[in-house]
Amino acid sequence: VGCGICVNKCPFSAIMIIGLPEALDKPTHRYGQNGFALYGLPTPQVGKVTGILGPNGIGKSTSVQILSGALVPNFGEDIGDWDTVLEHYAGTGMYDYFKNVVDGKIKVSQKPQYVDMIPKAFNGKTRDLLEGTDERGVMDELVEKLDLGHIINRNIGELSGGELQRVAIAACAARDADFYFFDEISPYLDIYQRINSSKLIQDLAKDKAVLVVEHDLAILDMLSDVVQVAYGMPSGYGVITHPKGVRIAINQYLKGYLPEENVRVRPDAITFEVHPPRVATDIATLLDYNAFSKKYGDGFSLRSDSGSLKEGEVIGIVGPNGIGKSTFVKILAGEVEPDEGELESEVSISYKPQYIKVDSFMQVRQFLRSITRRFDTSYYEAEIIKPLQLEPLFDKMLNDLSGGELQRVAIAACLSKDADLYILDEPSAHLDVEQRSLATKAIKRFAENNGKTAMVVDHDIYMIDMLSERLIVFEGEPAVFGIAHPPSSMQKGMNKFLSDLGITFRRDEETIRPRVNKKDSRLDREQKAKGEYYYYK
Ligand code: ADP
Ligand code: ADP
Ligand code: MG
């Protein structure tokens, strides 16, 4: 079974086991003799959004450099040249593409992965940045669609992460290119904004080729027309499969096995379950909290209903950005005092904030060892170190870690403390798709095995769905006021959340993962009529 790109010896015919790059034959590109090797390539197609599903460090940027003509692929030899490339792809769907690259006819527009870097590279206002990239004359339209009107005259250096992300998406889409590459769209965005950006990118792909890397699977699922799975060994080698149907690709990925390639990408499957509401009487209560409120000066105000947390349950917390979710958990964690309402503090809490600050200069190993007595146990190894991929980080200093590395250490630190209640604010941030699923599993198993209660704020519906037994839904007006509802069943909570959003989810028959229904499709209309935004089968 081949990838459909190579015409000569195809590397995919042999059975492969993870971690055995020798089983592959000729790479598309290799950096130096023992450097990172990329096998296969993404195949952008006009009129389609091609989604890339896989971990970081697997050759996405390398691929895009090749597709933009900035890097000549060397097929594992010392140097590459375009004649060899054209010869290699002769008779395949990629020949015309590379012919255009060689003739200088392919223009590429890219949205970088790390939007936090933009203020370092650009000094000026949002308007200046967008005017500079608006080759298609669509600035006004993009500003409206991405809700950038109120920040158009603000300095780029003053924007929040979510604002920067939307400006970066607009800037990329405004260019007049043949091939658009979005290296993640969801970081810092809430689900409303993720869906909005997805729609914009789908419109763009009507007559252009678009490639998107995305780690939020619900978004990748609704956004893509085809998906290419990327697997391998981060920093060692990466393989990009041929395009697959979106549903099939995501299901194969979740199961951990790619049948066409005959490759296992993960030892075990990632599974979903539909949580039936527990009978409330059989579980002890961990904490009853009173209604409380908080107002920041004459700015944002939060009001929370009273609620009750059960022992050993995981509660998901969802709502748009700026609605008070972080303020709410900070008050529960005792980090912020409410103006009205008292919270009893007999319950001990371990809290991972949304924005992680490093205030100690320690190695990761030393840091974790200082928190838990279980560091050297097989329990800790199997339940914390392995799933959070911490081993490679042990000798690094905390202040040298990247966003995703620090996130994994912070999740580990939170779960390492002795407490009754564990609160994690946006644990999926900066994690790639593989790390997210492993972290989800670690948090869930931790709560189950230790009978501990956890609260998880996140925008990733797959993470929330896999983790939560109950849900706290926020509503209100972002940056103005927020209301925290009491915990409700997943079904009731998601129905409320999704009806505010105007989207419905069905369940995939095979994996029972949630899938966004196309707006106004038969199912979408049926489910809305019944008020079943979520658990419909
Ligand atoms: P991704 O975009 O999927 O995160 P990249 O394509 O940026 O991955 O990088 C894949 C691997 O190739 C990394 O291990 C990186 O260190 C290596 N790499 C990237 N660029 C170069 C280069 N110019 N020379 C040598 N190695 C490189
Ligand atoms: P979420 O976590 O839902 O995104 P937050 O609780 O972080 O929301 O913030 C809610 C609102 O309160 C936002 O408009 C934010 O700018 C504002 N806010 C948060 N912390 C403070 C603070 N310490 N002082 C003043 N305003 C704040
Ligand atoms: Mg927050």
Side-chain angles (χ1 to χ4, degrees), residues 189-195 216 218 316-321 323 325 458-462 464-465 471-476 483 485 488-505 531 533-534:
L189 300 188
D190 63 35
I191 182 161
Y192 305 73
Q193 297 162 336
R194 290 175 190 198
I195 289 172
D216 178 329
I317 300 179
V318 292
N321 280 335
I323 203 82
K325 302 181 301 297
D458 214 277
H459 296 297
D460 184 322
I461 291 293
Y462 278 34
I464 288 291
D465 189 75
L471 204 61
I472 293 177
V473 179
F474 275 69
E475 65 179 331
I483 298 167
H485 290 293
S488 64
S489 72
M490 271 299 278
Q491 177 162 22
K492 193 164 160 242
M494 283 302 280
N495 273 336
K496 163 105 196 81
F497 179 55
L498 295 178
S499 65
D500 292 347
L501 264 167
I503 61 169
T504 57
F505 275 87
Y533 285 75
Y534 198 53

Side-chain angles (χ1 to χ4, degrees), residues 81-112:
D81 66 273
W82 286 115
D83 286 340
T84 312
V85 177
L86 290 179
E87 226 171 90
H88 181 88
Y89 290 107
T92 75
M94 286 304 281
Y95 179 83
D96 287 344
Y97 183 90
F98 278 113
K99 187 83 182 60
N100 283 331
V101 169
V102 174
D103 295 343
K105 286 196 200 141
I106 295 277
K107 222 189 119 197
V108 178
S109 178
Q110 301 189 40
K111 189 207 76 73

